[in-house]
Amino acid sequence: MATQTATAATGSTSGKPDKIGADKIAAEFQQLRNQQLNLVNNLNAIEMDLKEHKTVIDTLKMVEPSRKCFRLVGGVLVEQTVEVVLPQLELNKTQLEKLIEEGKEQITKKGIEINQYKDEHNIKMRGQEPTPPAASEKESAGDDKSSGNRNVLVGNL
């Protein structure tokens, strides 16, 4: 996600107090975006773990259940049989899938929170064309996955 500078519009003509307020608003907005980016990075790591689990499970299904295999548990390599390890891996896979769904929901909620913060503080992104007020209300009310998300990653991971 490219870093973009956000500016907050203020209604007063005095210089210094509004500058501090605008800086605070921009910092809080950037913090929200960083939180969303962290959620995306964590989700990507969990998805990679899920992919590895699926690969190992597919491989172990083709092996006889009494064959010995090794599993890393808490930094210790443990010798077990396939029939013991396979159900544990399938349980872990199910838990990872649930975590991924929860992560996607968190990312969507954070995107909505960011959009609401942008609207509340009249934040405009550089290079972004202004949106009409009616379109803005539709986007915050619905789960629109079009380009109307206004530079916030909410989508299909």
Side-chain angles (χ1 to χ4, degrees), residues 1 5-6 12 17 33 36 40 45 52 70 95 103 108 111 118-119 122 130-131 140 150 157:
M1 180 173 9
T5 304
S12 176
R33 291 184 59 186
Q36 188 183 40
V40 170
E52 290 175 10
F70 296 89
Q95 292 172 342
T108 302
K118 280 175 63 176
D119 293 341
N122 196 23
T131 56
S140 63
R150 300 175 300 192
L157 296 174

Side-chain angles (χ1 to χ4, degrees), residues 121-137:
H121 295 287
N122 196 23
I123 296 173
K124 305 292 181 208
M125 304 300 287
R126 286 191 183 160
Q128 173 189 353
E129 294 187 24
T131 56
S136 179
E137 290 172 11

Side-chain angles (χ1 to χ4, degrees), residues 45-73:
I46 293 170
E47 286 177 335
M48 290 300 296
D49 285 346
L50 178 62
K51 184 178 177 184
E52 290 175 10
H53 272 73
K54 286 180 177 179
T55 302
V56 172
I57 288 170
D58 290 343
T59 303
L60 289 180
K61 282 183 178 178
M62 293 185 276
V63 177
E64 64 183 69
S66 61
R67 185 170 175 180
K68 70 177 171 180
C69 65
F70 296 89
R71 182 170 185 217
L72 194 62
V73 178

Side-chain angles (χ1 to χ4, degrees), residues 85-104:
V85 171
L86 194 56
Q88 294 170 351
L89 290 175
E90 289 174 341
L91 177 64
N92 286 353
K93 182 186 105 170
T94 304
Q95 292 172 342
L96 288 172
E97 290 170 341
K98 288 179 185 174
L99 276 175
I100 288 171
E101 289 305 313
E102 291 172 8
K104 287 179 181 180

